[in-house]
Amino acid sequence: TDKYINGENGNYLNAKVYIKGTITFDGSISATSPGKFDSTRVLAAKTFTINNDKTFKNGRLSNLGSVIMNAGSVWENSEDWHNYSTQTLNASSTVKFNGNGTSPTFGYQRVYSKISTATNVFGNVEIANTQSPPADTTTTTGVLLRDNMVLQDASNLTFTDGVLVTGANKVIVNNTANTAVNYGGANSDYASSWVYGTIRRYLANAD
């Protein structure tokens, strides 16, 4: 049975979302502390959808079913992103990795995203991990890829704060626009946020 959650009518404290059916998020979450769900777990064959232009705030994601993000939606994720099944993210949606160095269990945010089908890619991605990167830029801070991170043809990668560490993997930006990789906030000229590892960019053919 479908269930409808309207965050505007709820007062959540240290809450967890346990998806046992089909849930559509069409509400809002307060910006005040803690102002987010601790974790979201989607069971196999179940679906969690974020409606158009809605913002969902979460700690840790564990997806064994299906996560859908509609146009203009935003998922703020402050801990690990474990996608073991299907994520269908609109090209204009945004996943914002905004850990602070204390909320992730391991001190950094790990991103697992099985690329087994064409739908298991990201829309826009923003790196906004507020922990200051160390001088040697080790993998103990920032956002750490455990699989390749692939962005869609019309999606952008924005560096606001923190380091995206690819390890043996890579981040792949398919958008050929000059602004497909950009910096935001106070990150002037990528001084406080960048890729540590491998990035693959596609460029448009010259006229």
Side-chain angles (χ1 to χ4, degrees):
T1 302
D2 288 355
K3 297 180 180 179
Y4 186 87
I5 292 180
N6 186 338
E8 294 176 342
N9 296 328
N11 185 13
Y12 305 103
L13 183 63
N14 298 324
K16 295 179 174 63
V17 182
Y18 193 47
I19 312 301
K20 301 178 71 175
T22 298
I23 288 182
T24 299
F25 180 80
D26 191 41
S28 64
I29 296 177
S30 172
T32 58
S33 181
K36 66 178 182 181
F37 289 94
D38 283 352
S39 63
T40 299
R41 179 177 175 83
V42 185
L43 296 183
K46 307 305 179 183
T47 300
F48 183 41
T49 300
I50 302 179
N51 269 358
N52 294 355
D53 303 316
K54 298 299 181 180
T55 296
F56 183 69
K57 300 181 181 182
N58 184 61
R60 183 179 189 273
L61 168 68
S62 180
N63 177 36
L64 303 175
S66 178
V67 168
I68 298 173
M69 293 182 64
N70 289 330
S73 62
V74 177
W75 186 308
E76 295 186 9
N77 208 78
S78 64
E79 296 194 29
D80 287 356
W81 179 280
H82 291 255
N83 174 44
Y84 298 121
S85 186
T86 300
Q87 59 184 46
T88 305
L89 313 185
N90 187 277
S92 66
S93 69
T94 300
V95 176
K96 181 177 181 177
F97 293 100
N98 61 347
N100 58 20
T102 59
S103 58
T105 305
F106 297 94
Y108 51 82
Q109 294 179 260
R110 300 172 299 176
V111 181
Y112 297 79
S113 185
K114 295 179 63 177
I115 310 299
S116 57
T117 69
T119 62
N120 276 357
V121 294
F122 285 88
N124 298 315
V125 171
E126 180 179 355
I127 306 301
N129 190 301
T130 58
Q131 179 165 329
S132 298
D136 59 355
T137 320
T138 66
T139 58
T140 57
T141 61
V143 179
L144 175 62
L145 298 187
R146 292 301 196 188
D147 298 290
N148 289 343
M149 175 183 281
V150 182
L151 278 64
Q152 298 180 52
D153 291 355
S155 301
N156 299 325
L157 176 60
T158 300
F159 291 91
T160 301
D161 204 343
V163 181
L164 175 60
V165 182
T166 67
N169 302 293
K170 53 183 170 286
V171 55
I172 300 173
V173 181
N174 286 298
N175 190 346
T176 60
N178 293 337
T179 56
V181 178
N182 59 83
Y183 54 84
N187 181 32
S188 178
D189 294 328
Y190 304 97
S192 59
S193 185
W194 60 84
V195 174
Y196 183 71
T198 304
I199 181 171
R200 176 186 292 173
R201 283 211 59 185
Y202 287 88
L203 303 176
N205 293 329
D207 294 331

